[in-house]
Amino acid sequence: MVSKRFVLKRLLLLVPVLFGVATLVFAILHLSPGDPARVIAGQRATDAQVAAVRADLGLDDPLWVQYGRYLVDIVTLNLGESYIIQRGTPILTILRARLPVTLELAIYGQVIGILLGIPFGIISAVKQDTLTDHLTRVGALTGISMPIYWTGPLVILLFAQFLNVLPASNRIASQFDPPVYTGLITVDTFVFGLQSGEFAAFVSAASHMLLPAAVIGVYGMALISRMMRSSMLEVIRQDYMRTARAKGQGAKITVMKHGFQNALIPVITVIGIQFGTLLGGAVLTETVFGIGGIGTMLVQAIEVGDYPVVQGTVLVFAFLFTLVNLGVDLTYSYLDPRIDQ
Amino acid sequence: MSPPPDDTPRRELDRASPTLSRRLTVAGGAFLVGLGGGVVALAVATLLLSSVADGADTAFLLGVLLFGFGTLGWSGSVLAGRGFEEMQRRLDTGADWTEMDSRRAMARIGGFGAGVMLAAATLGTLLT
């Protein structure tokens, strides 16, 4: 059982993390070149119009005043409105519409990474120093070494261009227009399929999701399998494993029954830490595959200088990352109760 | 029967579980140095930008950058540091990075940044 004190302590840690992210984003955006007032007023605006926008936004105030106002706005969940991308639309509304797209991609990527990485890691450890082990390790190293912006175009070339078996971009074929329930397109199309008995839209959404999720997943798989192998090798050498084997238990049952859970503990930590990488990877993957999630929007916002969108997006990413790590900590301490002591 | 005496050296205990005074010393010392650093940064920035207001803004922004980096680094170390330690141990990276060292370094950077911020904001308000 996870103690309340432990949970409270981890929850309180969210405050300095988000405060640190907000502060860092403020500094980076104000240090970067470009004038938001000029961007909002437009390139043809006169100096007087730019000055009026500047005064209206409070950009004439000293930076410490702006910083204080910015922190108060964040605490009251007032992330402002978009300057350019969706002019006048509150950031929270934009994020609410785009977040499920990125989350769906990151979740499927994580699932693929876990489903491939854990079995590969176990097989590699059990068959240590065999050809299978070497192949798995080379595969893992290749996965870690190849950046997403390179593997993305490669798989598009292979599966969409040469083999022509999977779509190259977008979330669903243009002839489908499924209703939005959750924003997660595979879930929405599946629910729609259950209601209408027609699953063509779901098949289209799933096939569109496969390549981008696989690109993120392979990257995640590499680290998970390496950690799983290392952790399992350590567990396999423990006395209790030898005892179980000496009592006549089969090798597979011993590994899965006594080894797996213990070996899983450090891997779970890595999965949590990696979620941040997956969110970062989603930015690149969305751009490569033309998926309109938070990642694509963040790139656009940085390019055109839409500061409130950049600030809001980065804060939401940080919040998600800390939430996932909180979940990981709770799982970790559930598997190993000594952790929260 | 009384428990056996704890013969762990005092210094080791301090390192493993820092007291509030120890934490304040680390962050507070850096804060005081940061106050001095803020004055220097403001003077240099004012000379370069030829305006006290712009100089104060620039010095304050540098302080914010350090403070944000320190705060995020400190909380990130506490949040995920143990996991990173475990990961580098298992991946046999040979790195000496520890959660405790990172936490203390980040507290110093954050404290220094806070000092620069306060010095820049105070002097900027007084001089402009």
Side-chain angles (χ1 to χ4, degrees):
Chain A
M1 185 67 190
V2 182
S3 74
K4 282 180 189 164
R5 190 169 172 269
F6 179 77
V7 176
L8 190 69
K9 217 169 138 184
R10 304 311 276 183
L11 276 174
L12 280 176
L13 259 179
L14 288 178
V15 179
V17 169
L18 293 177
F19 177 65
V21 170
T23 302
L24 207 53
V25 169
F26 177 87
I28 290 171
L29 285 181
H30 280 80
L31 282 170
S32 60
D35 182 3
R38 170 68 63 186
V39 171
I40 293 168
Q43 293 303 318
R44 292 179 187 174
T46 61
D47 286 347
Q49 287 170 323
V50 174
V53 173
R54 181 180 292 280
D56 190 41
L57 292 174
L59 296 174
D60 284 338
D61 295 331
L63 269 180
W64 44 95
V65 176
Q66 293 183 45
Y67 177 61
R69 203 165 44 218
Y70 164 75
L71 289 181
V72 171
D73 282 348
I74 286 176
V75 170
T76 53
L77 282 182
N78 175 18
L79 297 180
E81 294 173 351
S82 166
Y83 291 164
I84 301 160
I85 288 180
Q86 289 181 38
R87 199 168 193 149
T89 312
I91 302 300
L92 281 178
T93 309
I94 299 175
L95 291 176
R96 210 173 289 135
R98 299 259 195 156
L99 186 61
V101 180
T102 305
L103 265 187
E104 187 176 32
L105 189 58
I107 290 170
Y108 281 122
Q110 186 79 286
V111 168
I112 289 176
I114 292 169
L115 287 180
L116 293 176
I118 288 181
F120 280 169
I122 294 174
I123 292 168
S124 188
V126 172
K127 296 189 179 295
Q128 190 188 7
D129 293 334
T130 62
L131 182 65
T132 316
D133 180 28
H134 295 318
L135 285 176
T136 316
R137 285 166 70 188
V138 168
L141 270 177
T142 312
I144 290 178
S145 312
M146 289 198 303
I148 288 171
Y149 56 81
W150 190 66
T151 42
L154 272 189
V155 295
I156 288 176
L157 272 177
L158 179 63
F159 292 102
Q161 194 75 26
F162 293 129
L163 300 175
N164 201 19
V165 289
L166 287 169
S169 62
N170 292 326
R171 297 177 76 203
I172 193 165
S174 55
Q175 70 261 34
F176 298 110
D177 187 19
V180 179
Y181 303 116
T182 60
L184 308 174
I185 199 157
T186 49
V187 176
D188 289 349
T189 48
F190 186 72
V191 173
F192 179 66
L194 289 177
Q195 288 170 346
S196 63
E198 180 59 61
F199 284 93
F202 171 70
V203 172
S204 173
S207 62
H208 277 77
M209 182 58 68
L210 199 59
L211 280 186
V215 166
I216 295 188
V218 166
Y219 186 78
M221 174 273 284
L223 195 58
I224 292 173
S225 78
R226 279 210 65 181
M227 277 298 288
M228 192 71 210
R229 177 184 182 274
S230 153
S231 179
M232 186 56 95
L233 277 176
E234 202 172 287
V235 168
I236 281 174
R237 290 171 191 142
Q238 297 295 316
D239 288 344
Y240 59 82
M241 296 290 282
R242 203 176 298 122
T243 307
R245 292 284 288 132
K247 284 168 75 180
Q249 199 166 52
K252 281 181 188 167
I253 296 175
T254 308
V255 167
M256 295 314 292
K257 194 176 170 187
H258 299 291
F260 181 64
Q261 186 173 331
N262 288 315
L264 202 59
I265 294 170
V267 180
I268 286 174
T269 315
V270 169
I271 290 170
I273 291 169
Q274 215 181 21
F275 190 74
T277 319
L278 286 186
L279 285 174
V283 173
L284 290 169
T285 314
E286 283 175 14
T287 310
V288 171
F289 287 91
I291 300 169
I294 280 192
T296 320
M297 187 180 70
L298 181 63
V299 174
Q300 284 172 359
I302 292 170
E303 278 173 359
V304 298
D306 200 338
Y307 292 169
V309 174
V310 178
Q311 285 170 351
T313 309
V314 174
L315 277 176
V316 166
F317 269 12
F319 183 65
L320 283 176
F321 179 65
T322 44
L323 270 192
V324 168
N325 272 280
L326 177 70
V328 163
D329 277 343
L330 297 183
T331 317
Y332 200 101
S333 58
Y334 174 75
L335 288 172
D336 185 357
R338 290 170 300 177
I339 299 297
D340 63 354
Q341 297 304 311
Chain B
M1 195 178 143
S2 61
D6 184 358
D7 55 359
T8 312
R10 184 70 221 162
R11 210 162 144 254
E12 289 299 312
L13 281 175
D14 282 349
R15 279 177 65 83
S17 175
T19 57
L20 184 64
S21 63
R22 173 88 188 131
R23 284 174 179 158
L24 283 176
T25 310
V26 170
F31 177 77
L32 290 177
V33 177
L35 284 176
V39 175
V40 174
L42 175 66
V44 173
T46 304
L47 276 175
L48 289 174
L49 300 169
S50 315
S51 153
V52 178
D54 288 347
D57 273 357
T58 306
F60 180 78
L61 215 44
L62 288 173
V64 172
L65 190 68
L66 290 170
F67 178 61
F69 184 74
T71 310
L72 185 60
W74 178 85
S75 51
S77 302
V78 178
L79 190 80
R82 220 171 28 203
F84 273 112
E85 274 184 8
E86 184 70 10
M87 191 165 79
Q88 67 179 7
R89 185 180 72 80
R90 287 181 186 278
L91 293 179
D92 200 18
T93 56
D96 286 335
W97 187 94
T98 63
E99 183 249 341
M100 190 184 69
D101 288 346
S102 168
R103 201 162 19 91
R104 291 174 69 176
M106 290 300 169
R108 285 201 171 97
I109 293 173
F112 182 81
V116 173
M117 282 167 71
L118 185 69
T122 310
L123 286 177
T125 308
L126 291 174
L127 298 176
T128 52

